[in-house]
Amino acid sequence: MIKVNAETPYIAEACPPAWGSDLLARMLRDLGVRYIALNPGSSLRGLHDSLVNHLGNEDPQMILCLHEEHAVAIAHGYAKATGQAIAVALHSNVGLMHATMAIYNAWCDRCPVLLVGGTGPVDAAQRRPWIDWIHTAKDQAALVRQFIKWDDQPSSIGAAAQSFARAATLAHAEPPGPVYLCLDVALQEAPAPQPAAPCDLTRYVSYQAPYPPPDAVRTIARALRGAKRPVLLIGRTSRSQEGWDARVRLAEFLSAQVLTDLRVAASFPTTHPLHAMAPMRFMEPATAALLHEADAILALDWVDLGGTLDAAHVDSDRTDVFHCSLDHHVHNGWSMDHQALPRARLHVSSTVDHLVQALLDELSVPEPAEPAASRPAPQTPGNPVEQSAEPESEGITLDRLGDAVIRTTSGRRVCFARLPLGWSARHYRFTGPLDYLGTDGGAGIGSGPGIAIGAALALKDSDRLVVTVVGDGDFMMSSNAWWTAAHYRLPLLVIVNNNRTYFNDVVHQERVARTRKRPLENKWVAQQLTEPDIKLVDIAAAQGALTFGPVREPSQLDAVLEDAIQAALAGNFCVVDVLVPAQWDNNLRNSLAGAQREAGHDD
């Protein structure tokens, strides 16, 4: 593996495994963990030394971050792009508390992350005065146990081997998610058991995702074959090109209308004639009508199926609804991320890829003459790339920014790590599983930078450029995450949709004011990031980014974006600040109106 920069330690001779942390570090290597993101701390000083002086900072390589929340977000972004977990080192209870929001994001997004925490010493007789006491907790994992899949605190090297193997297995088992291992300082810093033979973690059996029962496959195939108005709701899927092609074959064989979800990664070509509507964020009237009139709906791990069916007033006594998901295995009583309970004719406990392939086999769908990935993508009429027709005097709008982004990235292989609320339907042009990675799962602010950096780390050796369009609030809340991208020389293009306000909350305040018949003029109070304006390019440049802007005029957009893309393709971390006035536009209005309809507000 080529390192992402020249952080190569000086080692005259590789140190033999003499300490407990040497064997713990080897376990990470044996599990195939490529990176470990961290903000350093004393509770993991033994493991840190072993990663450097025993393993030579290779497999895993340490990725230095300026905050634990960014470290987890980077691992989250890496998993979104690859489906594979990297590790995150979290210093004691204080580092874990910093990381909690990012862990919750990965949990809600069903992404595998291997969290390795330090504590200690558990034995009070070994604690240093003051500092070791406040950095020790009796049950450290209790801080996050409600939104991780599993945790453990092994008390010996032998127990740790099983813990590491179980943690990696459970993190990736469907549905995937974060797991947490807590390592006592004393365990790390004790002499290694002799003889110090490495543990063979490959002998621990991994879980295989279940295949759908044949009877269920036959029932669904029969209903879909006989349906006149079938609809596929395609939600969480793998990044596999084979899985993507299989979903296209199934939809084409059934002539089924397809709906996809912006909260998750690309799952079906938006340019395909069977992709009925723009990818969903909220329920639109046309989408509700399509679902209401369907006579068979196959939901493939759709996020919030119950809420979607209710919003579209689908009568499950009249419409055959089939629900494929393994998500119920991680539902608990603390978080409501399990969403509304859907009514369905049949629930299939299987992965999407397994069910789709089983349906193709049952329906005897012939293999294509060539893979779908090698065929030109069919184009949906009216999906333009031309300049917006808005008057030049309006300045840069989100529509104009979207037009420019699509024009300048056209013909290039890019991966959009994030796109903003209000992005126009014509700007969602996804033709492959890595074209778009979805949102963060937990719907907070501040995850965008870390997730984009993680995706760039994952795809740095590929032919794809990671592009992310973030808001200024998201940019600022995690602004010191960007240093990691610059330090490791990751090719990444960040475009800031800088409206200098928390505009989503402005809209909420407007709706409350209308309902209560109060002054709309006050909706901006305590929402604007002005007086003074934040100099985003200065913040990015101070951390090593190559910066462009601020861009103020529509006529500047294409040239600036083209320069930034060229610089990013040359291996640079680039930030473009685009000043977009905080205003209503049709796309944002429609999105928020959809949210209000789902909530039962029609104002």
Side-chain angles (χ1 to χ4, degrees):
M1 180 187 73
I2 299 174
K3 291 187 177 181
V4 290
N5 79 350
E7 281 188 342
T8 302
Y10 168 77
I11 301 180
E13 184 177 344
C15 302
W19 303 97
S21 58
D22 293 341
L23 298 184
L24 297 171
R26 281 195 175 194
M27 292 174 193
L28 289 172
R29 173 175 285 182
D30 290 346
L31 290 170
V33 176
R34 295 188 63 184
Y35 301 105
I36 179 167
L38 78 161
N39 182 260
S42 60
S43 67
L44 289 164
R45 65 188 185 186
L47 181 62
H48 193 127
D49 170 78
S50 297
L51 292 168
V52 174
N53 292 312
H54 178 53
L55 297 187
N57 197 24
E58 289 186 9
D59 299 324
Q61 179 188 351
M62 291 186 287
I63 302 296
L64 181 59
C65 305
L66 304 186
H67 193 285
E68 287 89 351
E69 186 173 350
H70 311 333
V72 178
I74 287 171
H76 182 184
Y78 188 97
K80 286 172 78 69
T82 65
Q84 298 298 309
I86 61 173
V88 179
L90 298 171
H91 166 47
S92 189
N93 49 2
V94 290
L96 183 59
M97 284 187 271
H98 269 173
T100 50
M101 181 63 221
I103 296 171
Y104 183 66
N105 279 333
W107 165 262
C108 290
D109 206 24
R110 307 299 186 248
C111 283
V113 179
L114 180 57
L115 305 165
V116 180
T119 189
V122 172
D123 182 356
Q126 298 186 44
R127 290 180 199 149
R128 294 173 293 164
W130 182 66
I131 189 65
D132 276 349
W133 289 80
I134 60 174
H135 283 176
T136 302
K138 185 173 292 185
D139 184 10
Q140 195 162 287
L143 286 165
V144 294
R145 187 166 291 134
Q146 303 296 348
F147 45 95
I148 58 175
K149 288 187 70 178
W150 183 76
D151 69 89
D152 197 20
Q153 185 169 325
S155 57
S156 69
I157 293 298
Q162 289 197 22
S163 295
F164 270 78
R166 193 189 302 271
T169 297
L170 289 176
H172 291 100
E174 294 288 343
V179 294
Y180 183 69
L181 288 179
C182 188
L183 304 176
D184 187 349
V185 164
L187 177 65
Q188 299 174 56
E189 301 187 5
Q194 297 299 327
C199 301
D200 182 6
L201 301 185
T202 62
R203 296 184 65 85
Y204 292 98
V205 178
S206 296
Y207 299 121
Q208 298 298 315
Y211 281 79
D215 287 349
V217 173
R218 285 191 290 270
T219 298
I220 298 172
R222 199 161 41 241
L224 291 175
R225 189 192 294 274
K228 295 180 179 179
R229 296 179 300 278
V231 174
L232 302 185
L233 289 171
I234 306 182
R236 299 185 187 102
T237 60
S238 71
R239 299 303 88 220
S240 158
Q241 184 66 51
E242 292 76 16
W244 175 281
D245 294 344
R247 292 188 293 275
V248 172
R249 288 172 58 208
L250 181 63
E252 290 177 345
F253 182 82
L254 297 170
S255 296
Q257 298 289 289
V258 175
L259 296 175
T260 59
D261 186 348
L262 280 175
R263 290 167 293 195
V264 298
S267 59
F268 192 88
T270 58
T271 53
H272 197 289
L274 290 173
H275 195 277
M277 311 285 175
M280 287 177 58
R281 192 185 296 268
F282 304 112
M283 182 66 68
E284 302 285 354
T287 308
L290 177 69
L291 288 171
H292 184 74
E293 294 302 319
D295 54 359
I297 297 173
L298 175 59
L300 299 174
D301 208 8
W302 185 261
V303 178
D304 192 16
L305 176 60
T308 299
L309 297 177
D310 288 346
H313 303 293
V314 172
D315 182 356
S316 57
D317 292 328
R318 178 182 62 83
T319 302
D320 282 332
V321 177
F322 303 100
H323 182 208
C324 171
S325 180
L326 288 165
D327 204 57
H328 52 282
H329 288 300
V330 293
H331 295 169
N332 60 46
W334 181 84
S335 170
M336 299 298 107
D337 64 282
H338 49 67
Q339 309 294 330
L341 189 65
R343 292 187 65 196
R345 175 179 168 185
L346 187 62
H347 175 95
V348 181
S349 188
S350 176
T351 67
V352 169
D353 285 355
H354 286 166
L355 178 60
V356 169
Q357 187 56 56
L359 287 171
L360 291 173
D361 294 340
E362 178 66 25
L363 293 165
S364 299
V365 179
E367 292 283 344
E370 58 180 337
S374 66
R375 302 197 302 264
Q379 298 296 310
T380 301
N383 203 1
V385 193
E386 69 271 4
Q387 177 71 41
S388 168
E390 296 166 305
E392 184 76 14
S393 60
E394 290 188 10
I396 298 175
T397 62
L398 193 55
D399 251 6
R400 280 209 175 102
L401 175 58
D403 287 339
V405 169
I406 295 302
R407 279 194 304 273
T408 52
T409 59
S410 180
R412 291 164 167 146
R413 289 175 63 80
V414 300
C415 171
F416 286 105
R418 182 69 58 86
L419 291 171
L421 185 68
W423 205 242
S424 172
R426 69 176 180 271
H427 301 145
Y428 296 119
R429 301 176 61 83
F430 311 144
T431 60
L434 279 172
D435 284 2
Y436 172 66
L437 296 183
T439 58
D440 59 17
I445 301 178
S447 62
I451 287 176
I453 294 166
L457 178 65
L459 300 177
K460 64 182 178 61
D461 295 324
S462 72
D463 62 349
R464 283 185 179 267
L465 173 64
V466 174
V467 178
T468 189
V469 186
V470 298
D472 49 324
D474 204 21
F475 182 99
M476 282 302 303
M477 192 170 286
S478 295
S479 60
N480 60 335
W482 301 121
W483 177 86
T484 298
H487 179 64
Y488 292 102
R489 304 183 182 96
L490 297 177
L492 171 63
L493 174 58
V494 177
I495 302 169
V496 187
N497 171 32
N498 186 1
N499 59 20
R500 299 170 298 288
T501 185
Y502 289 110
F503 190 60
N504 183 60
D505 291 281
V506 171
V507 175
H508 280 289
Q509 292 308 312
E510 178 177 296
R511 180 159 65 82
V512 172
R514 286 186 186 278
T515 301
R516 299 179 178 182
K517 296 180 171 54
R518 291 179 174 176
L520 300 182
E521 293 79 7
N522 293 333
K523 66 184 179 182
W524 301 100
V525 175
Q527 307 270 23
Q528 296 187 86
L529 303 178
T530 58
E531 298 182 10
D533 287 357
I534 301 170
K535 297 180 180 178
L536 301 186
V537 291
D538 290 357
I539 291 171
Q543 296 181 76
L546 188 60
T547 60
F548 301 80
V551 185
R552 302 176 185 276
E553 300 298 331
S555 59
Q556 300 173 320
L557 270 174
D558 283 53
V560 173
L561 288 175
E562 181 62 33
D563 288 346
I565 289 170
Q566 292 292 343
L569 289 171
N572 294 292
F573 163 49
C574 303
V575 173
V576 182
D577 181 13
V578 182
L579 300 184
V580 179
Q583 60 185 346
W584 281 101
D585 63 33
N586 288 334
N587 304 313
L588 188 55
R589 184 183 296 276
N590 290 340
S591 294
L592 294 168
Q596 292 172 7
R597 281 192 298 273
E598 288 189 4
H601 304 290
D602 295 322
D603 56 322

